[in-house]
Amino acid sequence: MRHTAFRHRMAEEFGRVRSEMLAQDHVFSSLGGRTVDQALEDGYTTKEVWSAVCDAFEVPAERR
């Protein structure tokens, strides 16, 4: 998944403002104690990061 598609999914699921705040501020233990932005910078794939976000926020399977 491209970064633009990832950001679009985040915004659809959480709203534009909240998704930006989540990406910058929420630390995910499943991403090694990184935020979304840090994980992407450190080489995690968008698929890995999206999966971590979905697991943490219990996003239903049909929207994953």
Side-chain angles (χ1 to χ4, degrees):
M1 160 183 356
R2 290 185 159 159
H3 284 269
T4 53
F6 171 78
R7 297 293 180 177
H8 181 74
R9 281 190 185 185
M10 288 280 291
E12 280 186 333
E13 187 62 37
F14 302 106
R16 187 184 55 80
V17 173
R18 184 170 181 222
S19 69
E20 290 173 12
M21 288 177 16
L22 274 173
Q24 294 172 9
D25 300 330
H26 188 87
V27 175
F28 293 84
S29 60
S30 60
L31 296 174
R34 293 171 177 85
T35 65
V36 164
D37 290 342
Q38 290 169 334
L40 292 171
E41 283 181 25
D42 288 347
Y44 282 74
T45 67
T46 53
K47 186 176 180 178
E48 292 170 317
V49 175
W50 180 243
S51 180
V53 170
C54 289
D55 290 346
F57 289 95
E58 300 177 351
V59 174
E62 62 271 7
R63 293 197 310 260
R64 288 181 178 226

